[in-house]
Amino acid sequence: MFNFDEANKKGKEAIDTALKSYSDVSKGFQAIAAETAEYSKKSFQDGVTHFETLAGVKSFEAAFELQSTYVKSAYENFVAEATKLGEMYADLAKNAFKPYEAPVAAATKAASKATATATAA
């Protein structure tokens, strides 16, 4: 027979899990947005500073050396930032799925048990 109290309890647990997951995902996206904004601001400031320095250079060789150093530094900073953001997105995905791990594992176990019982019969 259908147990309404049990169904109500499971429904409440599911909603609580979903709300916690949404809250964690929201916090993760806020952290990613803040990191991206900070990187953009620093990158722009570095570009302005480089251009001001480049404008004061007197020789072509010095300008070439300065430009080469800046490009290498900008590339290394970009790769580091992309790696950091990739890790942040991976952590976000793990945290978003974490509340669902136990219910999915229980459902998988129940389904495999039901399949084994049906196959044996």
Side-chain angles (χ1 to χ4, degrees), residues 56-73:
V57 172
K58 303 288 185 212
S59 71
F60 178 75
E61 291 81 16
F64 185 77
E65 181 66 31
L66 186 64
Q67 184 68 14
S68 297
T69 304
Y70 172 74
V71 168
K72 181 180 178 188
S73 173

Side-chain angles (χ1 to χ4, degrees), residues 20-33 84-99:
K20 182 181 181 334
S21 178
Y22 293 147
S23 174
D24 291 345
V25 168
S26 175
K27 289 176 187 174
F29 279 125
Q30 287 174 351
I32 290 169
K84 185 175 184 179
L85 286 173
E87 291 170 358
M88 290 177 79
Y89 275 110
D91 290 342
L92 174 66
K94 288 176 190 172
N95 290 337
F97 183 69
K98 188 169 280 201

